[in-house]
Amino acid sequence: MQNWRSELNRLCLLLSLATVIGYAVGHTSWVMLISLCVYSLSNLYQLRRFNLWLNRDSSESDSEPPESYGLWGDIFDGIHRLQKQERRASSYLANIIDKAQESSAALEMAVVMINRQGNLDWWNFAAENLLSLHYPKDRNQSITNLIRNPSFSEYFHSENYDETLKMEAPGESSKILEFQIALFGENERMMIVRDITQLHRLESMRKDFVGNVSHELGTPITVIKGYLEAILDNLDGLDEKWHKPMRQMWQQSMRMENIVRDLLMLSSLETTGLTKTQDVIGLQGLFSEIESDTQQMFKDKAHTFELVCPPSLDIVGKRSELYSAISNLVVNAAKYTPAGGHINLCADIGTDSLDISVADNGIGIENHHIPRLTERFYRIDGSRSSETGGTGLGLAIVKHILARHEAELEIQSTYSEGSCFICRLPLSRVALSSIDDETRLESTEKE
Ligand code: ADP
């Protein structure tokens, strides 16, 4: 501002001097014109210097601006200051980028940046090993062309990356990789890939171990239980003091048999996939079968059952598994509801799901137990469960079976009032025949 004012003063002084000299020599206009030309030429000269400095070649990029005075000096200094600030900021950014690239290069997991067209932008060293990417050949190539696997393409285009994708490494079936994608910026993606071969191997070993141990225990337990049953049938010949221990041994052998049966079931659910051909199951028939089997099991408790199910509702799934899941819930309801209680089994088609609920007015569950109920061997009260022959594996089995049918388990309960277990199946599991029946029913009702 100071220099701007002195520049104006200088111009005024020049014009006043030109007026005085012009008046003295009798050619005021000429002298004024000449002095304005001199003033403009000096500004043009400064502009030229400025232009030359701006267009200097890159080898001189650090050179100081031309020396000048007044307003021009101010302009040169200001621009030089801005240039220095910008240089500092870009070197700071370059530093950060270098550090990010160096640290991701040191990672064991692959990091791949993918632009919004789905093409490769950048990747770290591990990506070259895990995904066989080559720099610079693969730059700007489409990721789905480089990783040619239908499940990867489906995962990549789904844009739902809540879950990770596990699959064999491209061109190396012995390696198992886990893919996780995060969306950022304008539809750009960062993909992180981990080698989980070892983890996968340990997990299959664990599953095999549980399966094998349960299988191997099956025969000895059956033999022990068989002998105990034979002894219990002939208790008369046995000393009175052995009666109680024999009964307890038999009860425990029953429990062991149940645990082994449930563990085998869990292990087969974990190790085998759901077959492609599935059954069309009439829900009403399934409900009746479960009701009569449970009533038979808990004859002494004389519960009242209520079944609510649209008459022609069919679902698609594995019958034996769905029987087992719903039956587990109904048996639990019967186990944990005192004699004379009420059990309600209901199927209801909602807007997003088919809900199969099992409700009882039994002992209920305290709120803080609910999130852990589907964990293996989680039981609220061990002694109560063992009295009822529980293994603590029932709800874990239910959860597994439902997950195989893309369904979820919701648990609602009020302590000492009762519980409700809801299986939410996707509508895609409702058989088309029952949807046709339903629409036919609706249209006849409208008519
Ligand atoms: P368990 O074989 O012991 O019944 P589950 O996995 O089937 O094992 O159930 C886990 C626990 O959840 C049970 O020990 C029981 O305490 C509780 N539970 C399950 N169903 C009910 C129910 N309908 N009412 C009250 N408690 C229940």
Side-chain angles (χ1 to χ4, degrees), residues 62-116:
D62 282 340
S63 70
E64 295 283 311
E67 279 294 326
S68 192
Y69 56 89
L71 193 56
W72 280 106
D74 246 18
I75 292 173
F76 289 160
D77 289 348
I79 288 182
H80 187 51
R81 217 174 307 122
L82 284 178
Q83 270 194 336
K84 275 210 283 203
Q85 272 171 11
E86 193 198 291
R87 227 174 279 144
R88 258 201 307 270
S90 53
S91 96
Y92 176 70
L93 282 178
N95 212 358
I96 289 184
I97 291 173
D98 281 353
K99 271 191 190 150
Q101 290 193 343
E102 266 169 38
S103 52
S104 57
L107 283 177
E108 271 182 34
M109 56 178 94
V111 182
V112 184
M113 309 299 275
I114 301 160
N115 65 20
R116 63 178 141 155

Side-chain angles (χ1 to χ4, degrees), residues 261-262 328-337 358-360 362-366 369 372-382 384-386 388-398 411 413 418-421:
R261 184 205 55 218
D262 283 357
N328 253 312
L329 297 177
V330 178
V331 167
N332 271 353
K335 272 198 285 190
Y336 302 109
T337 300
V358 180
D360 63 62
I363 56 173
I365 305 161
E366 282 164 298
H369 290 297
R372 300 196 57 193
L373 284 186
T374 53
E375 285 173 23
R376 284 168 197 216
F377 295 112
Y378 186 83
R379 285 177 305 180
I380 293 172
D381 175 348
R384 189 176 72 195
S385 264
S386 49
T388 57
T391 61
L393 292 168
L395 291 179
I397 292 176
V398 174
I411 306 172
S413 187
S419 316
C420 180
F421 289 75

Side-chain angles (χ1 to χ4, degrees), residues 122-152:
W122 176 89
W123 58 90
N124 67 349
F125 184 64
E128 311 227 332
N129 287 335
L130 288 182
L131 303 170
S132 317
L133 299 179
H134 300 290
Y135 185 83
K137 190 175 81 131
D138 293 332
R139 197 149 182 251
N140 273 325
Q141 296 290 321
S142 159
I143 182 81
T144 44
N145 277 349
L146 294 169
I147 304 177
R148 285 182 173 274
N149 185 312
S151 19
F152 178 78

Side-chain angles (χ1 to χ4, degrees), residues 129-405:
N129 287 335
L130 288 182
L131 303 170
S132 317
L133 299 179
H134 300 290
Y135 185 83
K137 190 175 81 131
D138 293 332
R139 197 149 182 251
N140 273 325
Q141 296 290 321
S142 159
I143 182 81
T144 44
N145 277 349
L146 294 169
I147 304 177
R148 285 182 173 274
N149 185 312
S151 19
F152 178 78
S153 295
E154 195 186 324
Y155 178 66
F156 184 79
H157 294 297
S158 72
E159 301 204 352
N160 175 8
Y161 305 127
D162 294 347
E163 306 256 318
T164 57
L165 168 75
K166 295 181 184 79
M167 60 172 222
E168 289 168 3
E172 208 176 337
S173 56
S174 60
K175 215 183 245 180
I176 307 292
L177 302 181
E178 182 184 52
F179 292 77
Q180 167 95 69
I181 298 182
L183 272 169
F184 70 98
E186 289 176 23
N187 222 14
E188 289 161 271
R189 292 169 175 89
M190 179 166 86
M191 182 167 84
I192 292 177
V193 187
R194 278 194 319 144
D195 183 351
I196 53 159
T197 315
Q198 192 63 9
L199 219 76
H200 191 258
R201 209 168 287 149
L202 285 174
E203 180 66 2
S204 356
M205 271 167 64
R206 182 192 65 78
K207 285 176 190 166
D208 289 351
F209 177 77
V210 174
N212 290 341
V213 167
S214 319
H215 187 76
E216 292 301 322
L217 283 177
T219 319
I221 292 170
T222 314
V223 171
I224 294 170
K225 201 180 125 220
Y227 278 120
L228 286 169
E229 272 167 357
I231 295 171
L232 286 180
D233 285 344
N234 300 289
L235 269 184
D236 300 343
L238 200 69
D239 194 333
E240 179 90 32
K241 70 176 181 196
W242 290 108
H243 289 192
K244 197 175 165 207
M246 282 300 158
R247 274 197 203 95
Q248 277 180 346
M249 277 160 75
W250 177 77
Q251 263 173 5
Q252 291 306 322
S253 69
M254 283 273 286
R255 233 189 112 219
M256 261 154 67
E257 195 178 52
N258 288 345
I259 293 178
V260 166
R261 184 205 55 218
D262 283 357
L263 277 175
L264 270 175
M265 170 101 186
L266 265 174
S267 142
S268 101
L269 286 174
E270 277 182 331
T271 46
T272 57
L274 206 56
T275 46
K276 282 223 171 85
T277 46
Q278 291 179 28
D279 316 308
V280 175
I281 312 151
L283 259 193
Q284 210 174 37
L286 188 75
F287 281 8
S288 312
E289 195 180 328
I290 292 172
E291 181 211 346
S292 77
D293 290 352
T294 318
Q295 262 183 339
Q296 183 67 25
M297 244 190 270
F298 294 87
K299 260 191 268 170
D300 323 340
K301 287 184 132 182
H303 294 122
T304 52
F305 278 80
E306 186 187 354
L307 308 187
V308 183
C309 179
S312 53
L313 180 56
D314 294 341
I315 56 169
V316 182
K318 188 92 188 282
R319 193 179 197 282
S320 55
E321 290 188 12
L322 289 169
Y323 174 91
S324 171
I326 302 172
S327 159
N328 253 312
L329 297 177
V330 178
V331 167
N332 271 353
K335 272 198 285 190
Y336 302 109
T337 300
H342 188 79
I343 294 168
N344 181 301
L345 185 52
C346 166
D348 177 35
I349 303 189
T351 44
D352 303 325
S353 56
L354 163 68
D355 299 342
I356 298 174
S357 58
V358 180
D360 63 62
N361 60 350
I363 56 173
I365 305 161
E366 282 164 298
N367 249 342
H368 64 274
H369 290 297
I370 292 178
R372 300 196 57 193
L373 284 186
T374 53
E375 285 173 23
R376 284 168 197 216
F377 295 112
Y378 186 83
R379 285 177 305 180
I380 293 172
D381 175 348
S383 61
R384 189 176 72 195
S385 264
S386 49
E387 269 168 34
T388 57
T391 61
L393 292 168
L395 291 179
I397 292 176
V398 174
K399 192 179 157 189
H400 253 83
I401 294 176
L402 292 184
R404 281 156 76 87
H405 290 81

